Amino acid sequence: MTDSQQDVSRAQLVICLADVRLRSDTPIGTCDYPTVHAYVYPAVYTFEVYEAKTARQVTAFTLRGDETADLSCPPYFSHYADDNSVDIAQFFKDETLHGRLRPLLTRPAG
């Protein structure tokens, strides 16, 4: 990327992760860490998209987690020392988010 491609002052849209909710009480897998056992649960993510210049909300949309349980395990996270287990939200694939954003990025501004 060139410096001009990384210049945040050129941003036209701001995409915000607004909410993450578990969709089920049944885990789809586990993540094992030295100090805690984590369960991966199906999740839904809510995103809000704003026009950078005006802060006007352009749209909001949800994505369901579609990544495997193994690839949903973060490399590290914080938790309380007395927690025996931790809930992890199933993550989504990059292509899934890109597919939802593509129409916003390729349509004429207006």
Side-chain angles (χ1 to χ4, degrees):
M1 278 189 169
T2 66
D3 288 339
S4 65
Q5 290 173 316
Q6 295 178 5
D7 182 2
V8 296
S9 68
R10 297 172 44 113
Q12 295 180 15
L13 296 175
V14 176
I15 296 105
C16 302
L17 175 59
D19 191 35
V20 180
R21 294 193 186 265
L22 300 184
R23 291 189 299 117
S24 170
D25 293 334
T26 305
I28 61 166
T30 59
C31 306
D32 290 313
Y33 298 97
T35 59
V36 69
H37 188 73
Y39 293 94
V40 180
Y41 290 90
V44 63
Y45 294 79
T46 301
F47 290 89
E48 296 173 349
V49 181
Y50 296 89
E51 185 179 59
K53 187 175 183 177
T54 65
R56 178 184 63 88
Q57 185 171 346
V58 176
T59 191
F61 62 89
T62 59
L63 286 182
R64 287 180 143 203
D66 61 357
E67 191 57 86
T68 64
D70 288 347
L71 292 177
S72 295
C73 297
Y76 54 87
F77 59 91
S78 297
H79 67 94
Y80 293 107
D82 58 347
D83 286 344
N84 293 332
S85 68
V86 175
D87 295 342
I88 303 285
Q90 179 186 17
F91 206 60
F92 51 85
K93 296 177 182 170
D94 288 344
E95 312 78 73
T96 304
L97 179 59
H98 294 168
R100 290 300 297 269
L101 294 175
R102 190 169 292 109
L104 294 170
L105 301 174
T106 57
R107 73 179 185 196

